[in-house]
Amino acid sequence: MARLLMIPGPTPVDPEVLLAMARPVISHTSPDFDEIHGETVSMLQKLFRTSGKVFLLPGSGSLGMEFAVRSVAGRGSRALVLKAGYFGGYFERILRSLGASVTVVESPVGRGFTGADVEEALDRAGDVDVVFVQHVETSTSVANPVREIAGVVKKNGARLVVDGIASVGGMDLRLDEWGVDVALTGSQKALSTPPGLAIVAFSSEYSVELEKREPSGIYFDFLSLSREMESTRNYHITPAVNLVFALNASLKRILGEGLENRFERHRVLARAFTRAMEALGLRLVAEEPFRAWTVTAVYLPQGIDWSRFYSVMRKRGVEVAGGLGGLKGKIFRVGHMGEVDANDLIATIAAIERSLVELGYREARLGQGLEAAQKELSSLGL
Amino acid sequence: MARLLMIPGPTPVDPEVLLAMARPVISHTSPDFDEIHGETVSMLQKLFRTSGKVFLLPGSGSLGMEFAVRSVAGRGSRALVLKAGYFGGYFERILRSLGASVTVVESPVGRGFTGADVEEALDRAGDVDVVFVQHVETSTSVANPVREIAGVVKKNGARLVVDGIASVGGMDLRLDEWGVDVALTGSQKALSTPPGLAIVAFSSEYSVELEKREPSGIYFDFLSLSREMESTRNYHITPAVNLVFALNASLKRILGEGLENRFERHRVLARAFTRAMEALGLRLVAEEPFRAWTVTAVYLPQGIDWSRFYSVMRKRGVEVAGGLGGLKGKIFRVGHMGEVDANDLIATIAAIERSLVELGYREARLGQGLEAAQKELSSLGL
């Protein structure tokens, strides 16, 4: 039995994409690679809605976060971190280790930040150069209203960096139009590509601005990358050739589906899953209107042990994720992004029902969650 | 026609390794991945001959260089860079951008550094904390005698960082025994794995020492990685799961061949190629005893244009590399490492002969280089 990978990343990868990745390696400085790399970057510009620079770095999503932070902040920068969970802490950690002056505003568990919250945080913090926020905070499945936040940040004359690791490809994020200066993601989430590529996008305006910066190190250096990546033939970092093949194949599937269709599919799956959990009497971590479309975090019922739940789910061929930080052992998380479809979701809900029953959860009957999901999927035409 | 990838990396990857990489993605925090990751790290410890830490980071070789530099040097550190070509300049660039105080000693083109050279350089530079050197300087195909250099550096009480990007897996490099503190490589060279993994190894002694350091950033932070990588289940960086599958498969092939056999194969191929080039009247860039076993740089004959040579070689299905920095347009470079075997080498020499003749090089007859290579391969029992 192939295991259903229902965690908030890595996500399942289509066999077509896996096979693209298994193509023989080619030279990273050949005209052949230059073409495929250029095409991939241009598809990414469409996805991030920017005519600025998009870098495709060998690295994980957290490398993308660090590259973004180092591009916009350093020793003495005044940063405001909007922290809605565990991954907000990454921004804080990177910023502090670089000697930035950091104000952290934490939202209650399950809630994100409205524009008004950000307005107030900026007022209290005083002068702020850059604001950092997760589009989707993967640890709580909270989604922040980036467009609204960007409006407030711009009005206050600050820069905005958005971690789109668990959103890009599954929820809309527009750099140039919304006024997001930097956004980043990883290959292994809603882009349905194996892990190993960090993708960092700059708005067209900020790309121009950054040409004036001093370098710090070389791997994170906007200028070196910007100049050398005009053509991969001058590239000082060997690109992850085969992962680029995979991402290229996956982006063609994504743009083929159509971005609007894709976002809507994510919204529908999230809603069906949410309804199913509620029907089973389970409590969701994220509250409305802060629910992500790509991942859902659910409190485990009283008396159900996380590691036993994880085991019985795996026995049923479904891999789900646990809680992080303060939520460790208290919740489980299901990713429903990228290639995940209604069939995978139904199988997952069914496995959750049977697993909970096996572990002695008596508040629901088998089929109750499935019924709620079916109604939702059906009413939405799926 | 499949193109023969005879550049100094990426190198050809065995189909078995490509297919291992095309396996369905699994969770990076699952027990299944923990096992394969642990096994891979332990094979790498055998390769680097260390019982210290070995990190497997999503990233290119240059990320490995920067991680190594940041582990051992920072603002105010006194560094000595032994620069035998273009890639020595990377160390210099990273160090300067981090505010280290850098002394650079450059060797004449085609030569590396003996122990006596290093002794003298250390005397002149005064107090030095860390010495940086390429094992193989890929731009000139110069190999430095790391064991000898390490002896001198240790005697002077400094640390030694070795860039083994183009050597590890093709030439012997021993951390604990020789006294190399940090060494690094990339997946795509003599390890015959697609690009995208930076591998950074620490000697057992220095691993203990580094536990006392302050972090700087998170992606390059020894402490976070060290603690969290004990098990991938706590890992704060999503590993490049499928590239780890590939590297695991490739390392099994490498250890199956036997390290001594593998190094010897590289030595023989290098020698056969060298003899062939000399028989054709071509001049080699690297002088004895500084010739690498993994890559050979050759001066283009007078009047032969690099870009035309590149094109006619590609027409013949063989991809070779050009010069970098000051050697741009003047040389070509052939990688003969990893999976490259005698058949690939013979085909490459033949293509070089026919291409040179096509471009009007009149000093050699067809078959002359092949004959010399044949004699060498044959006398060495291949």
Side-chain angles (χ1 to χ4, degrees), chain A residues 66 93 97 217 219 224 314, chain B residues 32 66 93 97 217 219 224:
Chain A
E66 189 155 342
R93 236 174 105 192
S97 75
Y219 208 80
S224 316
R314 266 173 72 88
Chain B
D32 321 68
E66 189 154 342
R93 236 174 105 192
S97 76
Y219 208 78
S224 315

Side-chain angles (χ1 to χ4, degrees), chain A residues 3 5 7 9-13 18-19 21-32 58-64 66 70 75 86-87 90 93-94 97-98 188-189 193-197 215-221 224 228 233-243 310 314 319 328, chain B residues 3 5 7 9-13 18-19 21-32 58-64 66 70 75 86-87 90 93-94 97-98 188-189 193-197 215-221 224 228 233-243 310 314 319 328:
Chain A
R3 183 162 286 136
L5 194 59
I7 61 174
T11 60
V13 174
L18 289 172
L19 290 175
M21 188 172 57
R23 279 179 49 191
V25 185
I26 61 173
S27 167
H28 59 304
T29 61
S30 64
D32 321 69
S60 76
S62 50
L63 179 131
E66 189 155 342
R70 288 180 189 264
R75 187 160 299 281
Y86 188 80
F87 291 99
Y90 272 37
R93 236 174 105 192
I94 300 169
S97 75
L98 298 178
Q188 80 278 19
K189 305 277 180 178
T193 301
L197 290 176
S216 161
I218 67 171
Y219 208 80
F220 292 122
D221 183 14
S224 316
E228 300 182 17
R233 309 189 76 171
N234 328 310
Y235 200 29
H236 76 284
I237 287 174
T238 305
V241 171
N242 291 56
L243 284 173
Y310 176 68
R314 266 173 72 88
E319 182 98 17
K328 199 166 182 167
Chain B
R3 184 163 284 137
L5 195 59
I7 61 175
T11 60
V13 175
L18 290 171
L19 290 175
M21 188 173 57
R23 280 178 50 190
V25 185
I26 62 173
S27 167
H28 59 304
T29 61
S30 64
D32 321 68
S60 77
S62 50
L63 178 131
E66 189 154 342
R70 288 180 188 264
R75 187 161 300 281
Y86 187 80
F87 290 99
Y90 272 36
R93 236 174 105 192
I94 299 169
S97 76
L98 297 179
Q188 80 279 19
K189 307 276 180 175
T193 302
L197 290 176
S216 161
I218 66 170
Y219 208 78
F220 292 122
D221 183 14
S224 315
E228 298 182 18
R233 310 189 75 170
N234 328 311
Y235 200 28
H236 75 283
I237 286 174
T238 305
V241 171
N242 291 54
L243 283 172
Y310 177 69
R314 266 172 71 88
E319 182 99 16
K328 200 167 181 166

Side-chain angles (χ1 to χ4, degrees), chain B residues 171-193:
Chain B
M171 295 175 75
D172 206 3
L173 178 61
R174 302 182 178 214
L175 266 63
D176 285 355
E177 187 184 326
W178 295 357
V180 174
D181 298 288
V182 193
L184 60 110
T185 192
S187 49
Q188 80 279 19
K189 307 276 180 175
L191 299 181
S192 297
T193 302

Side-chain angles (χ1 to χ4, degrees), chain B residues 5-48:
Chain B
L5 195 59
M6 299 297 290
I7 61 175
T11 60
V13 175
D14 190 84
E16 192 177 293
V17 175
L18 290 171
L19 290 175
M21 188 173 57
R23 280 178 50 190
V25 185
I26 62 173
S27 167
H28 59 304
T29 61
S30 64
D32 321 68
F33 185 71
D34 218 15
E35 192 184 321
I36 202 167
H37 181 269
E39 184 185 52
T40 309
V41 166
S42 111
M43 289 191 284
L44 288 169
Q45 286 175 317
K46 282 184 192 142
L47 193 64
F48 282 98

Side-chain angles (χ1 to χ4, degrees), chain A residues 92-232:
Chain A
E92 185 187 353
R93 236 174 105 192
I94 300 169
L95 284 158
R96 291 203 195 279
S97 75
L98 298 178
S101 138
V102 190
T103 305
V104 178
V105 187
E106 211 156 335
S107 65
V109 175
R111 282 184 47 87
F113 298 90
T114 62
D117 295 334
V118 178
E119 189 82 62
E120 195 192 316
L122 282 168
D123 282 351
R124 283 188 192 220
D127 272 347
V128 163
D129 305 314
V130 207
V131 177
F132 294 86
V133 72
Q134 265 68 34
H135 188 184
V136 169
E137 167 55 57
T138 326
S139 67
T140 57
S141 71
V142 155
N144 285 298
V146 170
R147 185 181 198 162
E148 191 181 320
I149 292 172
V152 174
V153 171
K154 292 293 103 174
K155 207 186 64 191
N156 283 263
R159 297 279 175 197
L160 178 62
V161 175
V162 175
D163 165 3
I165 291 179
S167 74
V168 171
M171 295 175 74
D172 206 4
L173 177 61
R174 303 184 177 212
L175 266 62
D176 285 355
E177 185 184 329
W178 294 357
V180 174
D181 296 288
V182 192
L184 61 110
T185 192
S187 49
Q188 80 278 19
K189 305 277 180 178
L191 298 181
S192 298
T193 301
L197 290 176
I199 300 156
V200 189
F202 295 82
S203 70
S204 48
E205 185 219 326
Y206 198 46
S207 294
V208 174
E209 174 83 17
L210 278 174
E211 299 278 344
K212 300 167 204 154
R213 279 297 197 86
E214 283 298 303
S216 161
I218 67 171
Y219 208 80
F220 292 122
D221 183 14
F222 181 92
L223 282 181
S224 316
L225 288 171
S226 168
R227 281 169 200 167
E228 300 182 17
M229 272 183 72
E230 310 257 305
S231 160
T232 54

